[in-house]
Amino acid sequence: MFLSSSLLIFSLSTAASLVAADSSAFQADSSIDADRLYGYVKAAAYSREDVLATYPTCNDCDSASDVDISGKLKQIPGFEDSLMFMADMDVDCDGVAWQCPGNMDGQPETSFGHMNASQAPWYVIPEDFISKGDVQANALGAVICGDKMFYGIFADSNGDSPQVIGEASLVLAQACFPDDGMSGANGHPVPDVAYIVFPHDAPQGVGDETLDYSALKQLGDQKLKDLVNALDTYDPLQPSGGTFSDQEFPDPEQSATTENPLPDPTTMSGGDWGAVGPELPPTQVPGEPVPTWPWPSSTCKAHRRARRSTVM
Ligand SMILES: *[C@@H]1O[C@H](CO)[C@@H](O)[C@H](O)[C@H]1NC(C)=O
């Protein structure tokens, strides 16, 4: 369905009154340097390092707005299997609360149960990446949106054609963008959300419909504290977050000592990871001004939640 801009504005203003659950239950401890993590994910996406797969962020996007899943954390001991991507945030209302406002095509199940999108924070990954990325059911993820970081689990997959990336349960989307009227028909279209996925770490206490917030937060805080410490130890030259300026980019001369400082087009599409999509518009060329992030997403016409397939 194509939403005209006047309809979109109307639904923004009416949906804004929906009540969001208490998001502090799954919010990261404020002592964890989310800016540092955000800058790291953004830099990896920007430089297209260790691209594992590439997906569109909406069903009818121009391929210029495709984003990558980066495996750059393989360089960081203890986080070799972890995944990162920058994407938008569509709203997923599958599960027992599938009749959430604006959700025309919801499904009563999620990938591993019947989670409640109004209660359980989760993120979605494209279905064909589950086996390629070896992502376990309910795997921990951290989502950095605005200046906040939240935890969620991998509870649903996207089986659209084409499969799209950048989607979260209603409660997580409302936590990220509390003033933007998130609903089944209204997501966050800008690909400025950082997602970090820990494919082999799932919190205890995930049931068919519910999860244990304190177990999720405990595991999340532990993992993300460890990750910040590991980055400080093993990648001290990385940008420290904040705005995405020239200054924060790794100096090509300094990073010459690190493995693969810039993506090598000849190695990016190797292995079983499948084809790398068309080039993103801003390719970093040393000496040239760094284009602004995020790159334009104006080609995305609609940001509706997408149907997961029934596989799994
Ligand atoms: C889902 O969670 C919301 C918020 O807690 C609650 O109001 C609603 O009744 C739940 N839906 C189902 C079907 O359990």
Side-chain angles (χ1 to χ4, degrees):
M1 181 175 73
F2 180 79
L3 293 174
S4 76
S5 52
S6 57
L7 178 59
L8 189 63
I9 289 163
F10 173 76
S11 49
L12 274 175
S13 53
T14 53
S17 56
L18 291 174
V19 182
D22 181 7
S23 55
S24 63
F26 53 91
Q27 185 163 10
D29 192 277
S30 58
S31 69
I32 301 171
D33 191 349
D35 282 353
R36 165 85 158 111
L37 295 167
Y38 188 79
Y40 191 83
V41 178
K42 201 157 59 167
Y46 191 86
S47 61
R48 305 201 70 190
E49 285 179 86
D50 299 302
V51 172
L52 304 178
T54 301
Y55 294 97
T57 56
C58 54
N59 297 107
D60 49 4
C61 284
D62 187 282
S63 62
S65 58
D66 286 1
V67 302
D68 303 319
I69 298 179
S70 170
K72 191 189 174 192
L73 282 168
K74 73 181 184 193
Q75 299 168 11
I76 306 298
F79 295 89
E80 290 88 348
D81 60 346
S82 303
L83 309 164
M84 308 184 283
F85 53 94
M86 295 293 299
D88 62 341
M89 187 178 277
D90 300 331
V91 175
D92 183 358
C93 280
D94 284 346
V96 291
W98 63 273
Q99 283 153 320
C100 85
N103 197 35
M104 319 280 270
D105 59 348
Q107 296 173 322
E109 306 99 39
T110 46
S111 287
F112 314 108
H114 305 78
M115 303 299 280
N116 186 334
S118 298
Q119 290 179 354
W122 77 69
Y123 62 92
V124 175
I125 59 173
E127 198 161 276
D128 81 2
F129 193 78
I130 299 172
S131 53
K132 278 197 283 189
D134 193 17
V135 184
Q136 287 182 357
N138 307 318
L140 172 72
V143 172
I144 310 170
C145 41
D147 54 358
K148 295 173 290 190
M149 179 160 70
F150 296 102
Y151 304 123
I153 60 169
F154 165 47
D156 209 10
S157 60
N158 180 282
D160 264 14
S161 181
Q163 297 179 15
V164 300
I165 197 166
E167 195 173 346
S169 62
L170 179 64
V171 70
L172 180 51
Q174 288 174 334
C176 278
F177 305 103
D179 303 321
D180 292 350
M182 294 292 112
S183 75
N186 185 49
H188 174 80
V190 185
D192 60 358
V193 178
Y195 297 78
I196 308 173
V197 173
F198 305 92
H200 299 107
D201 292 279
Q204 299 294 310
V206 180
D208 182 59
E209 292 185 20
T210 57
L211 54 72
D212 178 342
Y213 294 111
S214 62
L216 173 66
K217 183 171 155 52
Q218 194 177 1
L219 179 65
D221 281 346
Q222 176 209 315
K223 263 329 250 196
L224 277 294
K225 274 178 194 163
D226 288 352
L227 178 56
V228 173
N229 289 338
L231 292 180
D232 287 343
T233 304
Y234 296 105
D235 209 334
L237 293 179
Q238 280 302 315
S240 57
T243 56
F244 207 55
S245 67
D246 268 307
Q247 206 182 355
E248 288 167 329
F249 245 99
D251 182 328
E253 287 180 17
Q254 278 182 307
S255 53
T257 55
T258 63
E259 188 194 306
N260 252 345
L262 289 170
D264 175 355
T266 61
T267 59
M268 286 192 336
S269 58
D272 293 323
W273 298 107
V276 169
E279 284 297 313
L280 292 169
T283 302
Q284 190 197 4
V285 178
E288 283 195 359
V290 176
T292 51
W293 177 284
W295 43 75
S297 61
S298 55
T299 49
C300 298
K301 292 197 182 98
H303 274 267
R304 303 198 50 241
R305 63 152 295 284
R307 175 174 291 275
R308 82 172 183 88
S309 97
T310 49
V311 180
M312 297 297 298

